Amino acid sequence: EDCPPLVMVERPLVVYRHDTSSTSFSTPRKMLFQIKVAAFEQTVLRTWDALTIWGAGRDGKEFYKCLSPEGRAKVRCMCDLDPAKIK
């Protein structure tokens, strides 16, 4: 009900390249996730008033946990097709 509307953006918000020879290949998944979320907060979320997280599974929950307290305060809702994940 109080979720902000979805909007189409004209460019990618975050770009990530994966190469098996890169350092990120041997870096733990959670650490990479924390780095990506921090970059998202610094470059995108700081200019937004509200955020809807699509996906209430493993990655959606981890995304929320990795946000700063200020970032978490901007989350208005989490969406998912599976009602069991929203509980």
Side-chain angles (χ1 to χ4, degrees):
E1 297 156 13
D2 63 340
C3 291
L6 296 176
V7 293
M8 178 70 77
V9 294
E10 298 297 322
R11 60 183 177 78
L13 297 177
V14 177
V15 177
Y16 177 75
R17 292 186 212 150
H18 183 76
D19 185 331
T20 56
S21 64
S22 70
T23 304
S24 63
F25 188 70
S26 61
T27 305
R29 184 189 69 79
K30 282 192 175 188
M31 181 183 289
L32 285 176
F33 205 87
Q34 291 168 341
I35 292 167
K36 288 190 263 185
V37 171
F40 176 77
E41 277 197 270
Q42 292 170 5
T43 59
V44 178
L45 189 56
R46 66 183 176 84
T47 64
W48 292 359
D49 295 327
L51 172 68
T52 298
I53 298 175
W54 178 262
R58 180 195 74 186
D59 290 344
K61 290 175 184 172
E62 187 66 26
F63 180 86
Y64 181 79
K65 289 179 194 174
C66 289
L67 288 170
S68 67
E70 295 81 13
R72 288 182 190 175
K74 293 182 179 188
V75 175
R76 296 294 175 257
C77 59
M78 292 183 78
C79 303
D80 204 290
L81 295 175
D82 183 355
K85 292 180 181 175
I86 301 296
K87 294 180 179 181

